[in-house]
Amino acid sequence: MINTGHGYIRTTDPDDAPAFARLYDPLGPPRAAALDLRREPILPSVDEVREMLARQETRQGAVYTVENREGEVRGFCSVRGVNAEAAFGEMAVMFADPADYAAPLAEEAAHFLFERAYARQRLAKLIGHALDGECELREFFARLGFEHCGVQREVLHARGRWHDLETFSHFKA
């Protein structure tokens, strides 16, 4: 467990499955980090999430739990889809409450991921994705120095309308 100043970051374990699965709620707001490689929503059950989290230690790109000082799970973060040859990966950050993207704990989670990606995994670039409705996440990427790279139009149909997916990139300093 890492003390970040405003909370804690730790490796996600199978007991976090209910909180993690809630972020994939089809009745909640669509999230870019909850899409698969085909840009379709993933709808895992709590048991499927628990099984995935139990297997994660054997894979690169572990999922981390972000907790506040009181030990309440606020969200999850990861560097996933690492392409070692091209030296890049995708930064995924999901908070249950969009207001948490403006909190210091979110920036601490991002800097934790930067250290893992740039220093430990020796990546040169991180990319991030946000759907058009994820305004707080888009502002979060901008505050961290991510640059806009483009928009994929009408990638996802959810909650009665089409959503665009914006891509951002961040290079190692």
Side-chain angles (χ1 to χ4, degrees):
M1 182 177 297
I2 296 169
N3 182 343
T4 64
H6 290 90
Y8 306 97
I9 298 175
R10 61 176 172 78
T11 302
T12 303
D13 61 47
D15 292 339
D16 294 316
F20 195 83
R22 277 192 294 275
L23 296 174
Y24 290 87
D25 180 4
L27 300 177
R31 301 170 186 272
L35 302 177
D36 65 12
L37 294 175
R38 295 180 309 243
R39 302 297 184 223
E40 295 178 1
I42 302 168
L43 303 173
S45 68
V46 172
D47 288 337
E48 289 170 331
V49 171
R50 185 174 286 115
E51 182 180 324
M52 181 270 301
L53 294 174
R55 290 190 323 255
Q56 82 168 342
E57 299 96 30
T58 62
R59 295 193 323 251
Q60 187 180 37
V63 177
Y64 300 96
T65 299
V66 181
E67 298 179 344
N68 63 14
R69 278 279 180 220
E70 292 73 39
E72 176 188 10
V73 173
R74 302 304 300 168
F76 300 89
C77 63
S78 179
V79 174
R80 62 187 188 184
V82 173
N83 181 332
E85 288 180 20
F88 79 91
E90 180 183 354
M91 181 172 141
V93 180
M94 289 196 303
F95 287 101
D97 182 353
D100 283 345
Y101 289 107
L105 186 56
E107 288 199 28
E108 292 170 346
H111 290 290
F112 167 78
L113 292 178
F114 289 161
E115 192 277 328
R116 292 201 62 80
Y118 296 139
R120 293 187 186 183
Q121 294 177 310
R122 301 192 194 303
L123 301 180
K125 175 182 174 181
L126 285 174
I127 59 172
H129 301 286
L131 291 168
D132 52 11
E134 294 181 289
C135 299
E136 294 87 352
L137 177 58
R138 290 169 46 228
E139 291 169 5
F140 174 68
F141 283 141
R143 273 195 324 278
L144 293 171
F146 278 77
E147 296 180 15
H148 169 81
C149 291
V151 176
Q152 297 174 29
R153 302 283 179 209
E154 298 182 348
V155 169
L156 172 70
H157 191 271
R159 314 258 350 227
R161 71 177 192 89
W162 285 98
H163 296 272
D164 298 339
L165 182 72
E166 189 169 0
T167 301
F168 300 88
S169 65
H170 185 278
F171 290 90
K172 181 178 179 179

